[in-house]
Structure formats: C-alpha cells, structure tokens
Amino acid sequence: MLNLVLFGPPGAGKGTQSAKLIEQYGLIHLSTGDLLRAEISAGTTLGLEAKKLMDQGILVPDAVVIGMIDNKLNENKAAAGFIFDGFPRTVAQAAALDNLLAQHDVSIQQMIALEVEEEELTQRLLSRGKTSGRPDDQNEDLIRKRVQEYTEKTAPVADFYAQQGKFTGINGVGEIEGIYAQIVSIVEKN
Ligand code: ADP
C-alpha cells in the first residue's frame, strides 16, 4: 500500500496535485474538507455543527475528522493506498492516524509538504473563491484566520513526520507539472 500525506497551508495546491497522483497511482483521495462539505450538503447534524466552525475558519474537533477517516479506511480495505489531503491537521490527528493505520497493518510512507508564502496563498484563495462557491474563500479576513490556524495548530504536524524521517518539503510555487514531477520523484524513492 502507498499511503501519502499531502501537506501545506490552504491554497498550497494539495487538491490539484492529489488529482494527478490519484490518476497515476490509483489511490483513494481522503480530503476531510471534502468529507465535511459533503456532510453539510447532506444536511446532517455533524455537517451543521462543522459548518459553524468552518464558516469562521476554525478547525473542527479532532474526534470528528478522526471518526470520518476511520470510517473511510474501513470502507476501503482493498485500496491500493490513500492520499490524505487536509488531514492530519493537528498533532493529535497525526498520532490517531498512525494508530488507525497500524490496525490495518499499514503506515504512512511519506509526508510531502507544498511550501507557499502567505501573500501568494491569499491571492490564490480569493481567485478560487470567484468560481468555487466556497464561502471561506471569499473573505480575506477568513482566509487569514485559516492561515493563522494552520501556522498555530497544523505546522507542528510537519515535525511529527520529520521525527519519523518521513518529511519532504518542496516549493509549491511554479508550474503545476514541475511541482508534480518533484512529488513523483519523492514517491518513487519510497
Ligand atoms: P483549505 O485547506 O483550502 O482550507 P479544506 O477543504 O481542507 O480547505 O478545509 C476547509 C475547512 O474544513 C477548514 O478551514 C476546517 O474548518 C475544516 N477542516 C478540514 N479538515 C480538517 C481537519 N483535518 N481538522 C479540522 N478541521 C478540518
């Protein structure tokens, strides 16, 4: 099994690069943001609670996203592997993911981080907001709040994987194909 964590701040390009990896390696994409938005669309209690936090740019509780990932791992036992996108976003989520994967006798091979500075992120998200319909992409204060959450709670997750010797950072600014080529070379080394 090939299990990758694609890491980086909002707007770094995780979704774009995930789509390319899925096509090449037949992996299952697990984006907690997408899973949460599906709950919101379905009007579930979980979705309604999550929406209140997402509309403020705040992370939803760890237990909520860990439970969603647990379900998806159990539903896809025969998968070639997974790309985790937007998860884990806290050190507690990273530790929980290690435990969940261990229950299936697998582990993360590599965390690949897309590095992009804040001004570029803000511009990318505001431009995505014009077409994505995502309310959290249409307000600059909300974007800055998401980047702040990332810096405070999510950035430490990189150290968690670095301590396991599983972290590689790459420059997330440049041609999509060039960035993808770097990701593939990291994947192929594993
Ligand atoms: P982006 O990375 O562009 O901000 P996502 O779709 O990954 O977008 O996440 C949107 C929102 O969903 C986040 O701001 C947060 O409120 C919530 N969210 C998504 N994944 C997680 C997670 N793993 N832990 C906590 N909250 C999450």
Coordinates of all heavy atoms in Angstrom, one line a residue, residues 18 39 45 120 134 181:
S18 N -3.2 16.2 -5.7 CA -3.8 14.9 -5.3 C -4.5 14.3 -6.6 O -4.4 13.1 -6.8 CB -4.9 15.1 -4.3 OG -4.4 15.5 -3.1
E39 N -21.0 16.4 4.2 CA -21.9 16.3 5.4 C -22.8 17.6 5.4 O -24.0 17.5 5.7 CB -21.2 16.2 6.7 CG -20.4 15.0 6.8 CD -21.2 13.7 7.2 OE1 -22.3 13.9 7.7 OE2 -20.7 12.6 7.0
T45 N -26.5 16.4 11.1 CA -26.1 17.1 12.4 C -24.7 17.5 12.4 O -24.3 18.6 12.7 CB -26.5 16.3 13.6 OG1 -27.8 15.8 13.4 CG2 -26.5 17.1 14.9
E120 N 0.9 35.0 -1.4 CA 0.5 34.2 -2.6 C -0.7 33.3 -2.3 O -1.6 33.2 -3.1 CB 1.7 33.3 -3.0 CG 1.4 32.2 -4.0 CD 1.4 32.6 -5.5 OE1 1.8 33.8 -5.7 OE2 0.9 31.8 -6.3
R134 N -17.1 28.5 -2.5 CA -16.8 28.2 -1.1 C -16.8 29.5 -0.4 O -16.0 30.4 -0.6 CB -15.5 27.5 -1.0 CG -15.6 26.0 -1.1 CD -14.2 25.4 -1.0 NE -13.6 25.7 0.3 CZ -12.4 25.1 0.7 NH1 -11.9 24.2 -0.1 NH2 -11.9 25.5 1.8
A181 N 6.2 16.7 -10.9 CA 7.4 15.9 -11.2 C 8.2 15.7 -9.9 O 8.8 14.6 -9.7 CB 8.2 16.5 -12.3

